[in-house]
């Protein structure tokens, strides 16, 4: 018994040591679970022919939510990439908002149905509008951080992208600019091992994507993306540095893309079921739930309630979004320029 | 003759050229094991191996730039841009480098690269998987831009592009990939880059267009025939540099000209076509030149009714042709 | 009114806008301590400090992209491309991002950035320091392209560009920098983006052009006046989106139209101008539309006789105007 | 005396240890001196109003020549940047060729007078045609190396660029591509401390440009650009690696730009005379001459002959080029496409 207790103590200390209370880690868990369930529902809707496209977050939610919790949702800016359901949910986008975008309806706050799903943007929550060409958001994040420096505000700008995308010129140019001008940016690479069909080994020859940091003169760190607390800690440190004027950090969050690249992709042609199954065993949502149960934060009662809450949120949102109207066809002529 | 889809004609041309010339190789994102996200390179990795069907890192400027280097060395690279919309990071390599290598070196070096890219809308691709991008490049002497409409033209023109001594941008309409089918000879044949093609002879009105819109115009022409309207349809095929003679001839033939593009109107290829006509056969015209194009908004939205509002389609084409005939 | 050079008008507009609005700042290569390689930002570093006059690393995509980010946040960045030819690495940021931010976000976000770039030839700059690059961007709704010809227009239009709620590409003719002088009021004034300007009223022929060629046309018009040829000269000023009404009015006025650009002919801005005219006032024309432009070769060479052969100049303009008048 | 002998011995061994004989190091010295003298003459011609533009190599010749000597001039490819007089001379471009380009005459092998000076290219010597936008040559070098790999040839491709230019996306994308595909490329950054007026500290925040290598998974090394033997050694090692199929190397060669950026620039507004003077004292041409004298390789007799030879080469070339005809104006319509 002594043994068990000791282990439990150590475990408990993990989130407390990071300054997170039980409610907060429960919230973290809720958001990653919500992201997962939303994604699952969208896949169902897609397979049922109700929405044309899904690009999945599955496998990356723990890192996304862990990171987003280290930011200040009242002032920091997020420049998420298409898989970042966990980030945008934490930054205040609602389940309903997300289904409205999946159904491309007029009320979709991201784009009013103009963009594909996964192209996030919501000014009131400081979620910066994104596009499809990968990595263009990196210099934008740097520009926003430049705004912070020029206006002497203490917000940070947080930008994410895939490991494949870290090979684009815009990553290099943006990272270098931020380092030279010591700007408050957190660059987070979500390394899920693939860029569509191309495995990591054909994308880069370096050992870690975070090895790129030294070439810009900024700290670089690699963390386990299945461990939301580890990601929280790394981002928290980077945020502190950034707010204190010490410039940017490059954080690599290692995870695995559990599904195919998107609903249009079939991953069986380029990776084995065994590989995927192995990754599923390390699924951070499951291991985090175990941790929360072991630390008595997640009780059976809470779990039931949580699942119910999530289910009804998603049901309602699906319903609402499905019935919501499209934007008027003639609206396409609007908002090319300021009116 | 065997009937093939537009994309099958692409794969066929690639395979035959790779079999014919060891220097020909393919590079791009997901073109290898995956056979391309549209499957244009399907089977090539298996047949030619990973060295001649190269999965590259996700970096378009490098895909173009490495291809350009290989071409200068003497290889025959075929670089794939996964979507034409993602060619933008490679603009510097294409405009500053590929297009100018022969000229700036006074003919000492050359750059025989082919850059393939799927363009065009109507596939629920929204702003960044639907664009027509030809006008970004259609002012760059040294470059050629080919945009075929039929499987037959695809095979003949892609082969010509690969064998061309200069850089060719080969733009494939992604909606045509599986929608458009046609006869494609098994034999080796090429078609001349720089030559437009009369797709239908007619005497009442002239339609000049390219890509998917050629089919819209042909469909409309069949319908209008019943109404006694006989349309002449010229398929530009090469949109840069334009085939001026063919344009002038086609415009003069009927004196009533409709120009169609799926691109946004202002600054599109068909503006130049109109300029050529108004310079060379103004007095042969019986009606103002008409243009039918996408609206001047950044690109087509995702939601189906919005996408539909943007896209040129057979109905819009038919109406424009009838209006012109009745002018 | 004080007489200033074209480049002095730029510096003045920059200074006044920076004094007027703390959110306005400048970023680019060598714009700080050095005051810009052409000296367009001279004195600004001393007056506003290194935080508002930022020397950036040598990376155009970042200069544009960081500017875009700052603009989305609420600043008013003025990004300088050292030469317009070097804007190519930034095309993705400008076309995929700046131009589409408002539209794609359904008006939630906007991008009020100004991107300045010196373009144009006649300065022994050879292929890569002489290009006209406007046609690369002149098919991108969401973007505006301003190309002023006089110091007066420079000041008023640059101020408007900086205050504009949308991205503006502001292209400055580098040969005009010190060559062209004119009256520039000390007061704060702005001029409307999107409006062409009649630089000379006339009744025999219409010349539509922009940039340095406006001056060539004005010089030629003065000479031709003696021969009894009265030229109407429209300065486009904004080349995208074009001022259609002004073009139609100017073309209809005389029925004889000459379009001039320093760019390569095919695919240039003036093709679109010709298309507008041929759509809207074909029956008002008494002569085919004439175009005078650079030849369709990649860009102008360095050796003086070769550069001269390429460049539009006052003699070529005068000849084209006379030929048209005599048509 | 014993002391001096020992020192001399050690010194002597330097080039011998590298496998270079006296004749070879004399050749190296000749080429860097020739580059310097050509550059000086071009400045004179510019100041006299005879040629419109010069972009100088001064301060970088030792590194350029040291590097070029490590390559095989019969098979390797060079993609020089505009300051690389030392590289192109070593690769076989003649003094006459260089003056023909300075005067923009028809016979200029680089471009027939179409390009500005410093835009090198000469196919017969495998000097690959270059443009003005910086760093575009980097992916080209990678593509040429890809050709080597595909055709199973053992040449390498050698590409240079400034440290400021290493911030362009094309550097990042090209380096990564070469490393992933293990291609025989030598990336040589000529770090001369400035990008026009912008000092190193405003260009990058890393300690060394070679720190970028680890992020691509290739070796990175920094060498003293005033020491041609050190550069020779570094490039030689990289070439050996590349030829053996071990992939690319990033080499940073540290020097100082002794003159203004170009004949159009005035450097007094952004750096002090003291700084420049200090750098001049470390001028690698002078220190290498001292080394060669100390090792008795460069005798007074040789020196006199060498200076005479160089002077007459330059005089003849200037004369020839000045009198040579421009290309015909109508030639501008040629070579847009293959004819
Ligand atoms: C510039 C550009 N090129 C190509 C694409 C097509 N594309 C979309 S996602 C993707 C792979 C991205 O891989 P990675 O960065 O690792 O992110 P992941 O999808 O694995 O999360 C590609 C090639 C694109 N969106 N943008
Ligand atoms: C893409 C691009 N942007 C800007 C320029 C203008 N320019 C020419 S050289 C130069 C500085 C280059 O600095 P560096 O790379 O350190 O090389 P150095 O001149 O010091 O040898 C600049 C900004 C250019 N040639 N290309
Ligand atoms: Mg990935
Ligand atoms: Mg430098």
């Amino acid at each position: 018994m002594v043994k068990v207790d000791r282990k439990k103590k150590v475990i408990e200390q993990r989130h407390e040591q990071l300054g997170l209370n039980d409610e907060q880690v429960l919230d973290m868990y809720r958001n990653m679970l919500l992201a997962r369930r939303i994604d699952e529902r969208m896949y169902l809707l897609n397979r049922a022919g109700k929405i044309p496209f899904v690009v999945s977050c599955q496998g990356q939610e723990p890192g996304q939510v862990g990171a987003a919790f280290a930011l200040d949702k009242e002032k920091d800016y997020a420049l998420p990439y298409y898989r970042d359901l966990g980030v945008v949910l934490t930054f205040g986008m609602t389940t309903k908002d997300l289904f409205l975008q999946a159904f491309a309806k007029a009320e979709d706050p991201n784009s009013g149905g103009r963009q594909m799903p996964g192209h996030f943007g919501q000014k009131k929550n400081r979620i910066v509008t994104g596009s499809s060409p990968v990595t263009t958001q990196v210099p934008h994040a740097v520009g926003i951080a430049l705004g912070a420096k020029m206006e002497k505000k203490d917000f940070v700008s947080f930008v994410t992208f895939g490991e494949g995308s870290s090979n684009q010129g815009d990553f290099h140019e943006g990272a270098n600019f931020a380092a030279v001008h010591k700007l408050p940016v957190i660059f987070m690479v979500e390394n899920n091992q693939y860029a569509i069909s191309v495995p990591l080994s054909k994308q880069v020859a370096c050992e870690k994507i975070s090895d790129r940091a030294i070439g810009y003169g900024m700290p670089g760190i690699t963390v386990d993306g299945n461990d939301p607390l580890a990601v929280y800690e790394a981002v928290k440190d980077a945020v502190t540095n950034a707010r204190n004027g010490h410039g940017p950090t490059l954080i690599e969050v290692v995870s695995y893309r559990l599904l195919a690249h998107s609903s249009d992709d079939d991953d069986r042609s380029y990776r084995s079921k065994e590989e995927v199954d192995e990754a599923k065993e390390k699924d951070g949502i499951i291991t985090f739930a175990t941790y929360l149960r072991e630390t008595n934060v997640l009780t059976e009662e809470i779990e039931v309630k949580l699942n119910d809450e999530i289910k009804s949120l998603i049901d309602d949102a699906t319903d609402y979004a499905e019935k919501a109207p499209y934007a008027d066809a003639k609206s396409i002529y609007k908002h090319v320029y300021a009116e | 003759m065997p009937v093939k889809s537009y994309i099958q004609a692409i794969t066929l041309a690639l395979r035959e050229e790779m079999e014919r010339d060891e220097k020909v190789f393919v590079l791009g994102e997901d073109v290898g094991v995956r056979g391309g996200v549209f499957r244009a390179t399907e089977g090539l990795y298996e047949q030619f191996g990973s060295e001649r069907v190269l999965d590259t890192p996700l970096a378009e400027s490098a895909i173009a730039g490495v291809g350009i280097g290989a071409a200068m060395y003497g290889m025959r690279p075929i670089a794939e841009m996964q979507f034409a919309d993602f060619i933008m990071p490679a603009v510097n390599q294409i405009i500053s480098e590929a297009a100018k290598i022969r000229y700036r070196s006074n003919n000492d070096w050359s750059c025989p690269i082919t850059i393939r890219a799927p363009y065009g809308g109507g596939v629920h691709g929204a702003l960044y998987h639907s664009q027509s991008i030809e006008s970004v490049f259609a002012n760059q002497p040294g470059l050629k831009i080919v945009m075929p409409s039929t499987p037959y033209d695809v095979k003949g023109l892609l082969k010509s592009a690969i064998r061309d001594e200069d850089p060719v941008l080969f733009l494939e309409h992604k909606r045509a990939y599986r929608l458009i089918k046609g006869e494609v000879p098994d034999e080796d044949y090429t078609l001349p880059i720089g030559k437009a093609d009369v797709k239908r002879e007619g005497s009442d009105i002239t339609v000049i267009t390219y890509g998917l819109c050629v089919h819209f115009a042909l469909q409309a022409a069949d319908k209008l025939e019943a109404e006694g309207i006989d349309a002449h349809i010229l398929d530009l095929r090469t949109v840069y540099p334009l085939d001026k003679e063919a344009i002038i001839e086609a415009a003069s033939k009927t004196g009533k000209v409709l120009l169609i593009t799926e691109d946004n109107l202002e600054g599109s290829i068909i503006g130049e076509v109109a300029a050529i006509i108004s310079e060379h056969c103004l007095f042969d015209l019986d009606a103002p030149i008409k243009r039918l194009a996408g609206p001047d908004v950044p690109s087509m939205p995702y939601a189906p009714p919005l996408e539909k509002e943007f896209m040129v389609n057979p109905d819009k084409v038919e109406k424009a042709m009838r209006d012109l005939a009745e002018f």
Side-chain angles (χ1 to χ4, degrees), chain A, chain B:
Chain A
M1 282 301 281
V2 174
K3 245 187 189 169
V4 172
D5 270 338
R6 255 231 213 91
K7 199 186 156 203
K8 214 174 142 185
K9 195 78 194 288
V10 172
I11 290 172
E12 250 170 54
Q13 282 169 352
R14 270 200 78 204
H15 69 269
E16 279 166 10
Q17 272 173 2
L18 292 171
L20 289 166
N21 62 31
D22 290 0
E23 203 184 322
Q24 287 171 309
V25 281
L26 255 186
D27 261 4
M28 282 171 77
Y29 179 66
R30 174 193 175 278
N31 283 7
M32 61 185 87
L33 195 65
L34 178 58
R36 176 69 57 93
R37 296 288 175 258
I38 290 175
D39 204 80
E40 289 169 348
R41 175 65 60 88
M42 287 185 181
Y43 258 87
L44 284 177
L45 291 166
N46 173 262
R47 293 318 181 208
K50 295 204 169 181
I51 61 174
F53 184 76
V54 193
V55 59
S56 168
C57 61
Q58 295 188 40
Q60 296 171 230
E61 307 93 331
Q64 293 167 355
V65 173
F69 263 78
L71 297 160
D72 185 332
K73 267 70 66 187
E74 301 306 316
K75 61 182 176 193
D76 293 335
Y77 281 71
L79 294 94
Y81 90 119
Y82 44 87
R83 298 199 193 280
D84 276 323
L85 263 192
V87 171
V88 298
L89 280 171
T90 306
F91 260 76
M93 199 173 287
T94 68
T95 305
K96 192 164 116 183
D97 292 339
L98 289 162
F99 280 92
L100 283 162
Q101 66 126 27
F103 281 97
K105 297 303 175 68
E107 258 187 281
D108 158 29
N110 297 280
S111 75
R114 289 178 171 193
Q115 293 220 72
M116 295 176 86
H119 291 61
F120 302 115
Q122 193 172 33
K123 197 166 190 178
K124 69 169 188 194
N125 287 318
R126 281 155 286 90
I127 299 168
V128 182
T129 176
S131 62
S132 307
V134 297
T135 334
T136 48
Q137 72 273 24
V138 171
H140 301 173
V142 179
I144 289 171
L146 181 64
K149 188 180 173 194
M150 291 181 72
E151 304 241 295
K152 306 204 183 346
K153 302 252 168 87
D154 77 340
F155 67 81
V156 307
S157 119
F158 168 72
V159 61
T160 61
F161 44 95
E163 85 294 345
S165 302
S166 79
N167 296 318
Q168 285 279 346
D170 268 4
F171 162 72
H172 178 68
E173 298 191 7
N176 185 63
F177 194 114
V180 169
H181 287 277
K182 270 194 174 298
L183 302 177
V185 194
I186 323 299
F187 299 96
M188 185 167 114
V189 188
E190 301 191 27
N191 179 355
N192 64 5
Q193 318 294 329
Y194 283 89
I196 308 188
S197 72
V198 184
L200 189 59
S201 61
K202 280 189 174 180
Q203 286 287 341
V204 302
C206 53
E207 269 178 46
K208 309 195 288 316
I209 306 288
S210 63
D211 283 344
R212 295 188 167 170
I214 188 175
Y216 305 115
M218 65 171 85
I221 177 169
T222 295
V223 280
D224 179 1
N226 285 319
D227 182 351
L229 295 180
V231 178
Y232 172 84
E233 187 177 8
V235 176
K236 193 89 194 168
D237 288 350
V239 167
T240 306
N241 267 332
R243 283 207 220 286
N244 290 336
H246 298 143
T249 302
L250 176 64
I251 299 172
E252 176 187 17
V253 173
V254 180
S255 65
Y256 190 88
R257 197 191 74 207
L258 293 176
L259 299 196
H261 173 70
S262 75
S263 54
D264 287 346
D265 182 36
D266 180 351
D267 58 345
R268 287 170 301 180
S269 64
Y270 56 82
R271 61 182 186 181
S272 69
K273 194 175 172 305
E274 291 71 49
E275 185 187 302
V276 180
D277 286 344
E278 204 179 299
K280 278 187 182 156
E281 270 163 34
K282 298 184 198 136
D283 185 339
I285 295 195
I286 295 172
T287 54
F288 194 53
T290 308
Y291 167 82
L292 293 178
R293 282 186 211 107
E294 281 176 1
T295 51
N296 281 328
V297 177
L298 184 65
T299 62
E300 209 162 305
E301 187 192 1
I302 295 178
E303 217 164 337
V304 169
K305 237 184 80 188
L306 188 60
N307 283 323
D308 286 352
E309 182 220 344
I310 286 176
K311 187 167 179 314
S312 78
L313 260 179
I314 293 176
D315 286 345
D316 291 353
T318 307
D319 234 45
Y320 183 92
E322 195 169 0
K323 290 185 193 128
Y326 287 118
D328 185 75
K330 299 295 170 202
S331 71
I332 75 162
Y333 306 103
K334 280 198 168 164
H335 310 314
V336 179
Y337 300 100
E339 272 144 35
Chain B
M1 252 192 287
V3 168
K4 293 204 187 312
S5 69
Y6 189 102
I7 195 166
Q8 283 171 332
I10 286 162
T11 314
L12 186 62
L14 294 174
R15 176 177 305 114
E16 288 183 10
E17 289 305 296
M18 291 182 78
E19 283 169 350
R20 184 179 164 272
D21 182 354
E22 282 219 326
K23 306 239 180 227
V24 177
F25 73 100
V26 167
L27 76 168
E29 295 155 8
D30 306 288
V31 297
V33 184
R34 183 88 182 86
V37 296
F38 289 102
R39 301 253 168 281
T41 53
E42 186 148 41
L44 301 184
Y45 183 87
E46 290 72 15
Q47 185 176 349
F48 301 102
S50 62
E51 291 236 333
R52 286 182 70 198
V53 189
L54 239 83
D55 274 325
T56 65
L58 206 184
E60 283 76 9
S61 189
I63 294 170
V66 170
I68 289 168
M72 284 199 278
Y73 166 66
M75 306 299 290
R76 292 274 161 171
I78 306 167
E80 177 177 303
M81 300 284 143
Q82 197 159 82
F83 284 82
D85 315 64
F86 305 144
I87 204 171
M88 298 302 166
V91 165
N92 190 36
Q93 282 291 345
I94 298 170
I95 292 183
S96 304
E97 301 299 319
K100 296 184 174 64
I101 280 169
R102 182 184 299 280
Y103 195 77
R104 78 179 183 217
S105 69
N106 207 21
N107 213 28
D108 195 25
W109 291 89
S110 65
C111 182
I113 190 176
T114 302
I115 301 178
R116 295 179 41 245
Y119 78 98
V123 298
H124 310 306
L127 272 76
Y128 297 99
H129 299 79
S130 304
Q131 290 172 68
S132 294
I133 53 97
E134 61 274 20
S135 64
V136 171
F137 299 97
N139 177 243
Q140 301 300 334
L143 202 64
K144 299 175 185 176
I145 310 177
V146 175
M147 301 179 80
S149 67
T150 67
Y152 177 82
D153 288 354
V154 160
K155 181 174 166 188
L157 285 166
L158 183 48
K159 281 170 165 265
S160 292
I162 295 167
R163 297 183 201 177
D164 201 281
E165 296 300 331
D166 292 298
V168 179
L169 210 53
F170 193 88
L171 303 178
E172 306 160 3
H173 200 295
K174 70 174 87 71
R175 179 138 168 68
Y177 272 161
R178 291 185 160 75
L179 185 71
I180 304 299
K181 296 189 173 66
E183 295 194 334
V184 178
D186 279 331
E187 303 87 75
D188 179 36
Y189 66 96
T190 60
L191 295 170
I193 293 176
K195 292 281 166 227
D197 185 48
V198 177
K199 284 286 191 292
R200 188 183 197 281
E201 291 278 352
S203 53
D204 295 329
I205 59 169
T206 297
V207 178
I208 304 181
T209 185
Y210 56 101
L212 191 59
C213 293
V214 170
H215 300 281
F216 298 164
L218 286 168
Q219 283 168 41
D222 282 351
K223 281 203 194 172
L224 293 172
E225 193 163 18
E227 301 174 24
I229 299 168
D230 188 19
H232 188 79
I233 299 176
L234 185 71
D235 179 357
L236 291 170
R237 294 204 300 201
T238 296
V239 301
Y240 189 85
L242 286 164
D243 183 351
K244 292 191 191 59
E245 273 114 78
I247 291 168
I248 293 165
E249 195 186 315
S252 309
K253 188 165 186 210
T254 70
K256 288 181 166 184
V257 185
L258 171 66
L259 309 177
I260 311 177
T261 181
E262 188 185 311
D263 196 359
N264 313 310
L265 178 70
E266 185 170 345
S268 66
I269 291 292
I270 59 171
E272 180 65 29
V273 177
I276 291 169
I277 296 169
S278 63
E279 272 179 329
H280 293 99
C281 37
L282 182 91
F283 297 125
D284 297 329
L285 296 184
D286 303 316
I289 295 171
K290 279 273 161 204
R291 291 191 290 170
L292 175 64
D296 283 323
V297 312
S299 179
M300 63 193 78
Y302 179 61
L306 310 192
E307 185 187 62
K308 184 158 176 255
E309 176 72 19
F310 184 105
M311 277 292 284
V312 171
N313 62 32
D315 292 344
K316 292 182 192 173
V317 172
E318 188 185 322
K319 180 173 180 320
M321 286 169 69
R322 186 180 294 108
D323 287 352
L324 180 62
E326 289 167 359
F327 181 89

